[in-house]
Amino acid sequence: TKRNESKTSYNRLETVVAWVLNESNGKCEYCDKPAPFKRVNKRPYLEVHHVKGLADNGSDDITNAVALCANCHRAFHYSIDRVARIDKIYKKIVRLERE
């Protein structure tokens, strides 16, 4: 079956993404495990997550973004303990600022 959906996308600053990925040194900033694989460009695969979402008026800045493995990224969005995860990441990563 086919369905039509409407979705809002946000323009993200590539400089923020690049800085956060570089800062992570190839490790998830939440669980500290190495990226699960390398991209075709040989760089570690991690996903940049905005701690306060852009849809919630969070800033697209290094003070609001972390590099996460895919499992941790999904957990930040969908886990039952997502609020505790947010609190932990704010305590762990000194560059982050609560918004």
Side-chain angles (χ1 to χ4, degrees):
T1 60
K2 181 179 174 182
R3 66 180 189 212
N4 292 324
E5 292 184 5
S6 158
K7 174 175 140 176
T8 302
S9 295
Y10 295 89
N11 292 326
R12 299 175 58 190
L13 294 172
E14 288 302 315
T15 53
V16 171
V17 172
W19 191 94
V20 169
L21 291 174
N22 186 60
E23 185 73 8
S24 74
N25 289 319
K27 291 194 315 191
C28 175
E29 292 186 291
Y30 185 79
C31 71
D32 295 319
K33 292 181 182 171
F37 61 89
K38 301 245 184 207
R39 298 173 183 256
V40 289
N41 66 8
K42 308 234 192 277
R43 293 186 180 179
Y45 179 82
L46 293 169
E47 300 171 354
V48 175
H49 170 72
H50 291 84
V51 183
K52 181 175 181 183
L54 298 178
D56 297 320
N57 294 315
S59 67
D60 191 13
D61 194 89
I62 64 169
T63 60
N64 186 43
V66 291
L68 301 174
C69 66
N71 279 349
C72 287
H73 192 191
R74 293 295 96 201
F76 265 80
H77 285 282
Y78 302 111
S79 73
I80 196 167
D81 67 339
R82 64 186 290 285
V83 172
R85 288 173 181 270
I86 291 168
D87 288 339
K88 181 179 175 182
I89 202 76
Y90 277 123
K91 290 174 186 161
K92 182 177 184 186
I93 307 297
V94 296
R95 74 171 180 274
L96 295 178
E97 296 175 6
R98 280 195 189 263
E99 298 185 3

